[in-house]
Amino acid sequence: MELKAPEQELSRFRARVAAAAVFVLVGFSLIVARFVYLQIVRYDYYATRAEENRISLLPIVPNRGLIMDRNGVVLTRNYSAYTLEITPSKVRNLEDTIDELAEFIDIQTKDRKRFRKLLEESKNFESLPIRTRLTDEEVAKFIARRYKFPGVDIKARLFRQYPFGEFASHAIGYIGRINQKEMARIEDDEDLAANYRGTEHIGKTGLEQSYEKELHGITGFEQVEVDASGRAVRSLARTPPIPGNNLQLTMDAELQRIAEQAFGNRRGALVAIEPGTGGVLALVSTPRFDPNLFVDGITPDNWDVLNTSLDKPMINRALNGAYPPGSTFKPFMALGALVTGKRAANVAIADPGYFVFGNNTFRDDKVGGHGMVDMVKSIVVSCDTYYYTLANEMGIDLISDFMGKLGFGSRTGIDIEGESTGVLPSQAWKKKRFKKPEQQKWYAGETISIGIGQGYNAYTPLQLAHATATLAAGGIMFKPHIVKYVVDAQTGQRRVVEPTPVADLGFKPEHLDVIRRGMVGVMTGGTGARAFAGAKYEAAGKTGTAQVFSLKGGKYKESETHERLRDHALFIAYAPAKDPKIALAVLVENGGFGAAAAAPIARQVLDYYLLGVKPAGAAPEDADADPEDAHTHD
């Protein structure tokens, strides 16, 4: 057996100990270096991270601003309620979870459908409501079983309510849950993203949309200390939210109610404006819709009803509907003739009951004509032949230039989004509108029907009311607006939405007087006389009837025409005639004769606004007059 040398073994042992010592020293040095790096070099960073883990910032959604009419009537309000919410990403089996919840909480089919619709529109990590407005008993039942439902919770939410339902729904608009497109837009703006943390709703239409920044307010935050499981332990600090500003409107709620009721079940629109300020006193579009349906997320069934209805209740006819103005166009044509010097007021034409242009004969409503007709009489009796000849003399571009100054064919700039431009025809417009060269040419014969508000003419009721208000204001044009004050919800300080004069068209008083006398004559001895019989104020107005389809040589008979193909009824007016306080335009879709369907609605509105007289009966019947003897006449 070989014996090892003690000295050699000792030397090897010492080498191993030294190596181990070096290894331990290097390791310890690395630990110390890491400790120094973490505790000294990166102290501020990790201290901040630790604090962030310990403290959670919870957004506090502000109260949304209220909307009130000019007299302080509250048209929108907020209330708090409990909602049962599910975060889909935290739930294993969504359908099973909902079924289990339905065993002790009333979850109906409509709730499930609405939830699925929200799920399609939202990101799966968002908390979505399956039931809103829980009772105290339902809240207690869930709390007792909460441990069984990870990803499901009860939250206190602020809800928007429209206490009068369909009232002024197109003007007020509605709020709804923020969709993905809106969220992407918000997230692209850092300031907006910070202010909308915790916010789930946003204005979708009407004033709720156009004044979203004013109504939303500023989000507050609460600093909450949390434990390792993320549960709140205590509140450390709180930055209260700043509620949204309130809106006080130029609208008169009672005037709006009377105007809406006057339409009954008919489709149409009405816009009433204060001529000296541009303030909108009433804005009606009917049929209406209930904005409360959209607050929680509209159910597919309700959406289908609204979206597929032939009456199209979601369309704001006052701003988006474009219609031929019919004979309500004639006072503006007459004013254009005076301003451009194409025809003097005292120049009379002989009306044989028709106007021949080339191979075409354009007929008046009255067989045999109206005899000798000057400008004032042309408005009173609504003589088509007078305006056929006038349109031919003026030409399409001169007509277009003048009507454009009155706001026809362009947006008025009202403080509600989504306004249509309408169609103001001209040679340039036709070239742009049509692609084929043969369609782009403007033919002189096309100008003739433009003079009586037919042809390519198509304007919104708002544009018609805007032009009438400008006429009533002596040619001074104001931008229409529906908000009068923006009110600070905390201080009550009011910021006035100043009337904005757009232009002074410089109309001569003598020219305006001619048009006024003609329009007053309509109300005293013309087509508006029946509707305004016994009125205790002097009004200036003009009735109108606009074709919906071409007769192609046939004779129009309302009783033989499908309801949706009947003529539209229109009416414009301002009153009192010598010191106007209100101007308006009324449209009744397929209403027939303007004097029968539209003028009585205007009478109720003017009676209330000027005299405080409320209508005694229901809305006027569609058959107040017999339109069988007139198609384009009013």
Side-chain angles (χ1 to χ4, degrees):
M1 184 176 180
E2 184 180 353
L3 296 175
K4 295 181 180 178
E7 293 81 3
Q8 190 177 2
E9 286 295 321
L10 182 61
S11 176
R12 290 177 180 174
F13 174 76
R14 286 174 178 170
R16 288 194 291 266
V17 170
V22 170
F23 180 78
V24 170
L25 182 61
V26 171
F28 184 75
S29 298
L30 290 175
I31 292 173
V32 171
R34 183 63 178 170
F35 180 80
V36 170
Y37 176 77
L38 294 176
Q39 293 296 320
I40 298 175
V41 178
R42 299 282 286 171
Y43 173 80
D44 290 339
Y45 172 75
Y46 285 106
T48 302
R49 289 291 301 274
E51 190 68 10
E52 288 177 351
N53 290 334
R54 184 178 71 89
I55 298 174
S56 178
L57 285 178
L58 301 179
I60 306 174
V61 180
N63 280 342
R64 192 172 180 85
L66 306 181
I67 300 177
M68 302 168 285
D69 89 325
R70 66 190 299 143
N71 300 311
V73 177
V74 177
L75 306 178
T76 67
R77 62 189 180 197
N78 307 309
Y79 69 95
S80 180
Y82 289 109
T83 66
L84 181 65
E85 304 198 6
I86 300 175
T87 305
S89 61
K90 297 180 180 180
V91 176
R92 289 185 179 180
N93 191 308
L94 198 55
E95 290 300 323
D96 287 349
T97 298
I98 294 175
D99 289 340
E100 291 175 19
L101 289 169
E103 292 178 3
F104 58 93
I105 291 180
D106 183 18
I107 299 177
Q108 299 180 10
T109 302
K110 65 178 182 179
D111 299 317
R112 293 173 184 260
K113 289 182 178 180
R114 181 176 59 237
F115 180 81
R116 292 191 192 99
K117 186 173 184 294
L118 292 174
L119 187 61
E120 292 174 0
E121 298 173 350
S122 306
K123 299 175 182 178
N124 67 350
F125 55 80
E126 292 180 342
S127 175
L128 302 175
I130 183 69
R131 252 295 308 280
T132 58
R133 301 178 183 87
L134 297 174
T135 65
D136 291 341
E137 182 180 354
E138 287 175 324
V139 171
K141 286 180 178 179
F142 175 77
I143 290 176
R145 300 170 174 82
R146 176 182 286 171
Y147 67 94
K148 296 180 179 180
F149 298 97
V152 184
D153 205 353
I154 284 181
K155 295 183 180 181
R157 299 285 189 186
L158 281 173
F159 287 90
R160 194 66 153 178
Q161 185 184 39
Y162 303 92
F164 300 110
E166 295 183 352
F167 175 83
S169 54
H170 290 94
I172 297 170
Y174 64 88
I175 68 168
R177 291 183 67 87
I178 298 174
N179 58 36
Q180 292 183 9
K181 184 178 179 180
E182 292 162 338
M183 181 57 69
R185 177 175 56 83
I186 290 172
E187 290 176 347
D188 286 342
D189 187 321
E190 289 186 8
D191 293 336
L192 207 58
N195 196 34
Y196 274 77
R197 279 192 61 190
T199 300
E200 296 184 341
H201 295 81
I202 196 169
K204 299 284 187 175
T205 64
L207 295 173
E208 292 277 31
Q209 178 189 30
S210 55
Y211 283 86
E212 170 66 24
K213 290 183 179 179
E214 297 285 357
L215 291 166
H216 179 265
I218 300 176
T219 299
F221 291 93
E222 184 176 14
Q223 288 185 338
V224 178
E225 185 176 5
V226 296
D227 60 18
S229 63
R231 294 179 181 177
V233 176
R234 58 174 175 153
S235 177
L236 301 177
R238 190 175 190 272
T239 302
I242 299 176
N245 293 328
N246 299 329
L247 303 181
Q248 187 160 11
L249 310 184
T250 58
M251 176 189 291
D252 184 316
E254 185 61 18
L255 185 73
Q256 176 80 14
R257 184 190 67 80
I258 287 171
E260 290 182 352
Q261 289 184 348
F263 275 88
N265 294 323
R266 292 169 294 182
R267 303 178 301 279
L270 177 148
V271 181
I273 298 176
E274 193 172 48
T277 66
V280 176
L281 301 170
L283 191 149
V284 176
S285 177
T286 181
R288 300 161 291 157
F289 63 91
D290 186 353
N292 291 299
L293 295 173
F294 293 87
V295 176
D296 296 339
I298 189 167
T299 65
D301 289 343
N302 284 333
W303 176 246
D304 286 343
V305 169
L306 292 174
N307 203 37
T308 60
S309 171
L310 290 177
D311 292 335
K312 301 187 182 303
M314 296 304 296
I315 293 178
N316 187 340
R317 286 166 165 80
L319 274 67
N320 302 131
Y323 307 87
S327 291
T328 61
F329 202 57
K330 291 174 180 175
F332 303 109
M333 281 290 297
L335 181 60
L338 294 172
V339 171
T340 59
K342 284 296 182 178
R343 188 173 291 180
N346 59 358
V347 172
I349 68 160
D351 172 23
Y354 58 88
F355 174 69
V356 177
F357 185 84
N359 296 324
N360 296 314
T361 299
F362 296 86
R363 300 192 179 279
D364 203 307
D365 70 290
K366 186 176 181 181
V367 178
H370 296 88
M372 296 302 295
V373 182
D374 63 7
M375 187 171 285
V376 171
K377 183 178 178 181
S378 75
I379 298 173
V380 175
V381 301
S382 198
C383 177
D384 287 344
T385 304
Y386 185 93
Y387 291 96
Y388 291 147
T389 62
L390 181 58
N392 187 47
E393 292 172 16
M394 292 181 69
I396 186 59
D397 286 337
L398 188 60
I399 294 172
S400 179
D401 289 344
F402 178 78
M403 295 302 174
K405 294 176 183 177
L406 282 167
F408 289 110
S410 60
R411 296 182 179 90
T412 65
I414 191 172
D415 48 352
I416 298 178
E417 296 184 20
E419 184 182 0
S420 297
T421 59
V423 176
L424 176 61
S426 66
Q427 292 192 69
W429 168 83
K430 198 175 183 188
K431 286 180 180 179
K432 185 177 180 181
R433 169 65 178 79
F434 296 100
K435 295 181 179 180
K436 296 181 180 179
E438 62 271 20
Q439 294 176 317
Q440 294 177 334
K441 182 181 178 181
W442 186 273
Y443 297 94
E446 293 176 310
T447 306
I448 309 303
S449 58
I450 296 296
I452 63 168
Q454 294 287 165
Y456 291 116
N457 278 316
Y459 310 114
T460 67
L462 174 61
Q463 289 173 340
L464 202 54
H466 182 45
T468 305
T470 302
L471 183 64
I476 300 176
M477 179 182 289
F478 289 89
K479 183 170 73 172
H481 60 281
I482 198 167
V483 173
K484 188 174 185 179
Y485 301 111
V486 177
V487 185
D488 189 300
Q490 292 182 303
T491 66
Q493 184 176 359
R494 300 191 300 182
R495 184 171 78 247
V496 181
V497 177
E498 296 288 350
T500 306
V502 177
D504 184 347
L505 300 180
F507 296 147
K508 294 181 179 179
E510 57 268 30
H511 292 166
L512 293 169
D513 183 63
V514 171
I515 307 305
R516 180 187 60 79
R517 286 190 287 119
M519 293 177 70
V520 169
V522 170
M523 311 297 269
T524 56
T527 50
R530 180 174 180 179
F532 280 81
K536 296 180 180 179
Y537 49 86
E538 185 180 57
K542 183 71 187 79
T543 56
T545 304
Q547 288 179 320
V548 173
F549 76 109
S550 175
L551 291 173
K552 297 181 180 180
K555 181 175 175 59
Y556 173 80
K557 288 184 177 294
E558 182 174 303
S559 60
E560 298 176 5
T561 304
H562 188 280
E563 189 269 336
R564 294 183 185 273
L565 295 178
R566 294 174 186 170
D567 295 341
H568 296 321
L570 299 103
F571 185 77
I572 61 171
Y574 61 84
K578 294 183 179 179
D579 184 23
K581 297 292 190 299
I582 181 174
L584 55 76
V586 182
L587 163 86
V588 180
E589 282 188 7
N590 312 117
F593 197 30
I601 294 175
R603 172 68 187 271
Q604 293 186 40
V605 170
L606 295 179
D607 278 359
Y608 176 74
Y609 190 73
L610 298 175
L611 306 175
V613 177
K614 297 182 180 181
E621 295 295 328
D622 290 335
D624 282 349
D626 183 6
E628 294 295 338
D629 63 344
H631 187 223
T632 59
H633 183 52
D634 322 286

